[in-house]
Amino acid sequence: MRNKILLFAIIISLSGLASVTFAQTATIGPKNSVVTGDVISVDAGRIILQTKDGELNVGLSDKTEYKRVPADNPSLKAATPAAFGEIGVGDKLMVLGMMSADKKTLPAKSVYLMTKSDIADKLAKERERWTTRGISGRVVTVNLDTKQVTVEVRGLAAATSVVLTPKPEAKYRRYAPNSVKYSEANVSNFAELKAGDMLRAVGDKSADGASFAAEEILTGAFQTVAGTVKAVDAVKNEVVITDLQSKKDVTVELGSASLLKKFPEQMAQMMAARQSAQAGGPGGPGGQAQGRPQTGTGNGQSGTGPGGGGSPGGPRGGIDDMLERFPNITAADLKVGDMIAVSSSKSTNLDRITAIKLLAGVEPFIRAAQATSGGQRGQVTQSLSIPGLEGVSFQ
């Protein structure tokens, strides 16, 4: 019975490794425990492991058994004999042993290893799959009768409509609250798809790019809040902004998984001017550009899933790849008076949100949206569309 429980615990832990996440500590029987975490140091006779509960001293002996589990086939059957010398900083381990009374030391009976390089290779393959065979965009309509979804797919300069049809055995997943990590997504179904959702799918596109047969669909409901920085608390990792639409203060929590970037000034000005022209703003053609539907953050336009690309088939050099090249920032880099835009899970409570992504340097987009809408209150974000908040890289 104990062996079956151990097998179950390890399979559960390893099953998430396609997205590079081990399960948390599990207890096997009255004394033995299975603990997972990241290696932060390796010395003769011991390993320091970073777990969800803090650092753990893993004791090793000549009786400790080592096994290596491949990232692309995370199962016990695929595990092969390994050695202590193969373990390095950044690797992920699952350790079986008898925990000390103070829960700070774990003499290891068995160590299951997944190396950092194997994980990186697995991620690269996953990114390639979602990039070359994927699309991402905003759900416009959902037809429950025909099981078809119309998706607005945005590129750097234009948007197109794609009719998505799930394959018979299609898999569905939906982002967990305040997360765009594939590893944390929940099992879902077609009935959970809603207009306004952001969607990422992998499958086969038609030759003309107008239709898409999906074998895996990942969705989530997100919102964008844009505003002026009112206060910054770098210690708490929080920012207070005045929402440009509601005129109310919003506290933005910056978690460890939050992505903070700054839009390069010249690029922001150029792209905002192009958006304004296409939307019929000052200096524009006086009307909305054909093939470029006007979209807004009120429809949840931010945050999609793994992969890159922003047009049918997900070509390289799309919005997601562009965002990755932007400079990283921290809360300390933000100043009172800065304009920022934040994406988060959609919520009815806007007093406090957790940032999935935060973009600074977005003043040109906000000013262009205000000019297009005539600067009327309540319409500030009606036409606001900030590239980079509409997709994230594979995690």
Side-chain angles (χ1 to χ4, degrees):
M1 180 64 178
R2 179 175 296 178
N3 288 338
K4 290 183 178 180
I5 296 175
L6 173 61
L7 176 63
F8 175 76
I10 293 177
I11 289 176
I12 289 295
S13 295
L14 294 178
S15 64
L17 286 176
S19 48
V20 201
T21 301
F22 274 94
Q24 298 175 348
T25 305
T27 301
I28 307 282
K31 295 182 179 179
N32 291 328
S33 296
V34 171
V35 180
T36 62
D38 299 330
V39 176
I40 58 178
S41 71
V42 181
D43 297 309
R46 72 168 187 168
I47 295 172
I48 304 299
L49 203 64
Q50 182 66 52
T51 74
K52 70 177 184 67
D53 297 317
E55 294 184 6
L56 180 67
N57 186 353
V58 177
L60 308 171
S61 70
D62 55 4
K63 294 183 179 180
T64 301
E65 180 184 37
Y66 302 92
K67 292 283 188 178
R68 182 167 177 169
V69 180
D72 57 358
N73 187 14
S75 68
L76 289 182
K77 292 182 179 179
T80 57
F84 168 74
E86 297 179 44
I87 300 174
V89 174
D91 292 344
K92 292 184 178 291
L93 301 183
M94 174 181 292
V95 182
L96 170 65
M98 187 178 297
M99 186 73 74
S100 64
D102 61 4
K103 295 187 178 182
K104 294 183 178 180
T105 303
L106 179 63
K109 294 181 179 179
S110 301
V111 174
Y112 291 84
L113 159 71
M114 185 169 289
T115 67
K116 181 171 61 175
S117 60
D118 285 350
I119 292 170
D121 289 343
K122 173 64 176 178
L123 278 175
K125 291 177 182 178
E126 285 296 314
R127 181 189 293 273
E128 182 74 11
R129 184 170 75 98
W130 285 87
T131 300
T132 59
R133 300 188 60 232
I135 61 169
S136 65
R138 183 178 62 87
V139 175
V140 179
T141 62
V142 179
N143 190 320
L144 295 176
D145 296 327
T146 63
K147 276 204 166 185
Q148 289 185 319
V149 181
T150 303
V151 183
E152 178 191 277
V153 179
R154 300 201 55 188
L156 291 175
T160 57
S161 291
V162 177
V163 176
L164 180 149
T165 304
K167 294 183 178 181
E169 302 300 323
K171 298 178 181 179
Y172 300 87
R173 294 177 70 87
R174 193 166 181 85
Y175 287 117
N178 296 320
S179 173
V180 285
K181 288 187 175 182
Y182 182 79
S183 60
E184 297 174 355
N186 301 314
V187 175
S188 184
N189 54 61
F190 187 87
E192 288 194 274
L193 294 176
K194 299 289 185 289
D197 282 351
M198 294 307 299
L199 175 146
R200 167 73 67 181
V202 64
D204 302 310
K205 70 179 187 325
S206 62
D208 61 2
S211 60
F212 190 88
E215 58 196 44
E216 187 169 356
I217 300 170
L218 183 62
T219 58
F222 303 95
Q223 63 191 5
T224 294
V225 178
T228 305
V229 174
K230 184 176 181 179
V232 178
D233 191 329
V235 176
K236 291 184 178 180
N237 220 18
E238 292 183 351
V239 179
V240 178
I241 65 173
T242 301
D243 183 0
L244 291 176
Q245 187 170 24
S246 69
K247 307 302 180 183
K248 296 180 179 179
D249 289 348
V250 179
T251 299
V252 181
E253 299 179 11
L254 305 175
S256 59
S258 300
L259 182 68
L260 280 67
K261 294 280 188 175
K262 184 171 183 178
F263 221 112
E265 182 177 359
Q266 186 173 2
M267 180 182 291
Q269 291 174 349
M270 177 184 67
M271 297 185 72
R274 182 167 58 189
Q275 281 188 356
S276 180
Q278 290 174 330
Q288 184 173 309
Q290 184 176 2
R292 175 63 179 267
Q294 185 172 342
T295 57
T297 58
N299 290 328
Q301 191 154 351
S302 67
T304 58
S311 57
R316 300 184 187 281
I319 293 175
D320 296 349
D321 291 330
M322 175 191 71
L323 181 65
E324 289 184 1
R325 294 192 293 269
F326 287 176
N328 292 312
I329 60 173
T330 66
D333 295 314
L334 299 174
K335 302 294 186 291
V336 173
D338 287 349
M339 283 188 176
I340 64 173
V342 180
S343 66
S344 69
S345 293
K346 186 171 286 187
S347 170
T348 57
N349 178 20
L350 278 182
D351 293 335
R352 177 176 288 269
I353 61 176
T354 299
I356 294 174
K357 290 187 296 178
L358 181 154
L359 266 182
V362 297
E363 290 90 341
F365 297 100
I366 294 174
R367 299 304 184 200
Q370 290 173 328
T372 300
S373 62
Q376 299 177 36
R377 180 176 176 175
Q379 293 186 343
V380 172
T381 59
Q382 293 283 330
S383 58
L384 176 62
S385 178
I386 301 176
L389 282 181
E390 300 164 1
V392 297
S393 300
F394 180 79
Q395 300 186 56

